[in-house]
Amino acid sequence: MATTNEKGKIAEAQILAAFVRAGVRVAIPFGGDSPYDLIAEINGKLFRVQVKWGRVVNGCVLFATAHQKRPNTTEGFQRWAYEDVDLFAVYSEQGESYLVPPEMTSATITQLRLRPTKNHQSSGVRFAANFTFEAILEQKIEGSINYGGLAQLGERLAGSQKVRGSSPLSST
């Protein structure tokens, strides 16, 4: 069984290879103290990419979207800030790659469903098929974003995107 560190290295290598296969230029930040693992140039725009290992549990790919504030302490966890990461790239233990914008993640652990729910619920469910590496990369290249009807996106002044519900902002 691979260690956590080894799984991270495998995930980074596989995601890097997936970007290269797709014809995307990739850079690796020097020094290891960046909040992101890779920089991908997609359609002339640079994306800061945090690479994660995804484990499969009960029909879902699970990956962490928070990190320890200080390594080797018990001070709790801190979510990656939208300002620090543009994409989470997830390599699952089943060999699949996914790209997930941070605004589509949960506070600490994000689930991507591999199969329908038992009660057939689809509203608010993150289906892995909507976040495949190829699908999100194509959307980023085309400039369109579609996450399977989960949420509407509103632009922030800084140019990054955040999730907004389907109700008008002025409604309560």
Side-chain angles (χ1 to χ4, degrees):
M1 183 96 196
T3 66
T4 302
N5 194 18
E6 291 167 338
K7 289 176 184 178
K9 289 177 183 178
I10 292 167
E12 284 187 36
Q14 293 295 331
I15 294 297
L16 178 65
F19 275 126
V20 171
R21 279 192 302 274
V24 173
R25 291 182 181 150
V26 183
I28 301 172
F30 177 76
D33 59 350
S34 298
Y36 45 89
D37 299 308
L38 304 171
I39 302 166
E41 182 183 340
I42 303 170
N43 202 28
K45 183 178 178 193
L46 300 178
F47 289 86
R48 296 159 301 169
V49 182
Q50 174 57 235
V51 178
K52 305 304 294 177
W53 175 268
R55 58 190 172 96
V56 178
V57 178
N58 296 327
C60 295
V61 176
L62 306 177
F63 65 96
T65 51
H67 58 95
Q68 249 181 325
K69 288 182 182 179
R70 292 186 193 160
N72 304 319
T73 68
T74 58
E75 284 195 34
F77 290 84
Q78 178 178 3
R79 179 180 169 84
W80 269 278
Y82 294 146
E83 299 82 32
D84 293 336
V85 178
D86 300 310
L87 285 171
F88 283 97
V90 182
Y91 180 75
S92 80
E93 60 190 4
Q94 292 182 328
E96 299 295 325
S97 298
Y98 303 95
L99 291 174
V100 185
E103 65 268 14
M104 299 304 296
T105 63
S106 301
T108 56
I109 302 286
T110 296
Q111 299 181 44
L112 302 177
R113 290 204 57 81
L114 295 169
R115 57 181 183 248
T117 61
K118 289 182 181 178
N119 67 0
H120 305 292
Q121 176 183 343
S122 60
S123 177
V125 177
R126 292 179 199 90
F127 288 102
N130 294 328
F131 297 95
T132 63
F133 195 89
E134 296 79 12
I136 297 296
L137 190 57
E138 183 177 310
Q139 290 175 19
K140 292 288 185 186
I141 289 171
E142 292 175 358
S144 65
I145 305 294
N146 179 2
Y147 304 119
L150 255 181
Q152 296 174 341
L153 296 173
E155 289 288 318
R156 289 192 212 165
L157 291 177
S160 60
Q161 297 177 341
K162 72 176 187 178
V163 172
R164 182 176 80 199
S166 58
S167 301
L169 288 177
S170 60
S171 68
T172 56

